[in-house]
Amino acid sequence: MTLLQVEDLHVTYRGGEGDVPAVRGVDLTVGAGEVVGLAGESGCGKSTLASTVLRLQPAGARVTGKVLLDDEDVLTMRWGRLRAVRWAAASVVFQGALHSLNPLQRVGDQIAEPMLLHEPGTTRGAAGRRAADLLERVGLPASRVRAYPHQLSGGQRQRVMIAMALACSPRLVVADEPTTALDVMVQAQVLDLLTGLVADLGLGLLLISHDLSVLGSTCDRVAVMYAGRIVETGPGRDLFTDARHPYAKALAAAFPTVGDPAGRRSPAGLPGDPPDPAALPTGCSFHPRCTVAVAACERRDPLLRPAGPGRSAACLLVGEDGGPLAAADGDVPEGLR
């Protein structure tokens, strides 16, 4: 069952020198019991997309398209309905738990607050007991309900954020970079916790990260964003090991293979920086950094299209079977052969 369906979503910010397109024509779905990953460099539009799911973008943003939550468009909801949907139908685990939690309130009170707001008749005592139960569900002692955020480690604070997201039993959770600044052991624990909750509770999870290796091992499906658009989608592990789009290939190659001396001495990387959203290049937005770009890439802006079973890519040089395709004005570049 589809919980979230994003259709032709555009988000544009108003800047001092003109409009800045942050998200450009994105389509995305998340089903019940499914983990969908969203990958890309900083500035590609991932967090803007996450905030738009519950209409949390800045007031000056211009949004078009559809964001269907259980077939109801979030973008056209009245304020009262939107307020009821937040936390209860869908919730967000924000990036940077230390900055998202109130330093002056105990974590138990912060977990209980959504219950008191969204569930009339719930007493403070009942909400406190449920907060303690939620902490235990995410692997923390119930006694930590009386702790302040600064008394917890980074991983513990992230678990508190997950407990808060589950407070009103939502069906969809959006986790925006939930493992940022955590060490690899704690990162693995948080990811195991999130995927375990999906399996146990049948949630839909949209997991956002810049780390394609994490998403490849965690997600059922992964979408890769670049310059506000999705440039490739496919099964998580397949996309990480056999990406079709040159940008997705570069993301995957950026992670060294443990025990491979050649990779250690000659690390792969991607030259240049992502384009300024206010001054996007002509044609394919990735072509100035692409190592296999041809002249046609400067003129034609490719759309997302089939690139093999269960795969899609927005690249002129990738055929519908996922194999290399000759460019309109020349042979297939060597890097795609």
Side-chain angles (χ1 to χ4, degrees):
M1 178 181 179
T2 300
L3 300 178
L4 174 68
Q5 185 168 345
V6 177
E7 298 179 0
D8 193 27
L9 182 67
H10 293 256
V11 182
T12 303
Y13 297 121
R14 295 181 184 137
E17 299 181 359
D19 290 344
V20 180
V23 174
R24 305 183 295 138
V26 166
D27 296 306
L28 187 71
T29 61
V30 181
E34 184 179 35
V35 183
V36 176
L38 190 61
E41 293 171 286
S42 296
C44 72
K46 306 186 303 297
S47 293
T48 293
L49 176 58
S51 66
T52 309
V53 170
L54 286 176
R55 224 163 82 192
L56 297 171
Q57 70 277 1
R62 185 171 67 250
V63 183
T64 61
K66 293 182 178 181
V67 179
L68 303 177
L69 192 59
D70 286 329
D71 296 324
E72 190 175 0
D73 194 351
V74 172
L75 302 181
T76 60
M77 287 179 182
R78 294 182 179 273
W79 169 245
R81 177 57 182 158
L82 179 63
R83 184 175 181 273
V85 163
R86 291 173 177 171
W87 295 106
S91 60
V92 181
V93 178
F94 293 102
Q95 182 177 353
L98 183 60
H99 305 295
S100 300
L101 293 169
N102 188 330
L104 303 179
Q105 289 187 340
R106 301 182 192 274
V107 297
D109 293 334
Q110 297 186 59
I111 296 171
E113 184 178 7
M115 306 176 202
L116 298 172
L117 289 173
H118 290 272
E119 300 176 6
T122 300
T123 65
R124 288 191 174 276
R129 289 189 292 273
R130 283 174 54 190
D133 291 341
L134 282 169
L135 285 182
E136 291 186 331
R137 178 181 283 275
V138 298
L140 291 176
S143 60
R144 303 306 273 171
V145 293
R146 297 193 57 78
Y148 288 96
H150 72 273
Q151 295 175 312
L152 304 176
S153 68
Q156 289 174 329
R157 286 192 293 265
Q158 202 64 58
R159 290 170 185 266
V160 169
M161 290 295 298
I162 296 170
M164 191 183 302
L166 298 174
C168 296
S169 303
R171 300 180 62 207
L172 174 72
V173 174
V174 179
D176 186 8
E177 302 270 11
T179 58
T180 296
L182 301 180
D183 65 67
V184 291
M185 293 298 293
V186 177
Q187 175 179 278
Q189 292 169 4
V190 170
L191 291 171
D192 286 344
L193 170 61
L194 286 168
T195 54
L197 290 169
V198 171
D200 295 341
L201 303 178
L203 304 173
L205 175 63
L206 178 59
L207 181 59
I208 298 173
S209 177
H210 62 274
D211 192 333
L212 191 57
S213 65
V214 165
L215 298 181
S217 61
T218 304
C219 300
D220 301 303
R221 291 186 292 117
V222 170
V224 177
M225 284 190 77
Y226 187 79
R229 283 187 175 173
I230 291 179
V231 296
E232 183 167 354
T233 64
R237 191 169 295 279
D238 291 349
L239 196 148
F240 179 61
T241 58
D242 184 27
R244 306 285 199 246
H245 193 281
Y247 176 64
K249 284 179 179 286
L251 281 185
F255 299 93
T257 302
V258 176
D260 180 11
R264 184 173 66 249
R265 296 190 181 96
S266 302
L270 188 60
D273 297 310
D276 181 352
L280 293 172
T282 60
C284 174
S285 299
F286 183 61
H287 87 260
R289 305 173 70 192
C290 184
T291 59
V292 296
V294 295
C297 300
E298 301 179 26
R299 302 190 303 268
R300 296 169 54 190
D301 190 6
L303 299 175
L304 203 62
R305 61 183 183 180
R311 308 287 295 273
S312 59
C315 180
L316 296 177
L317 305 178
V318 177
E320 292 190 0
D321 62 352
L325 188 68
D329 54 359
D331 196 6
V332 179
E334 185 175 350
L336 284 179
R337 290 175 184 167

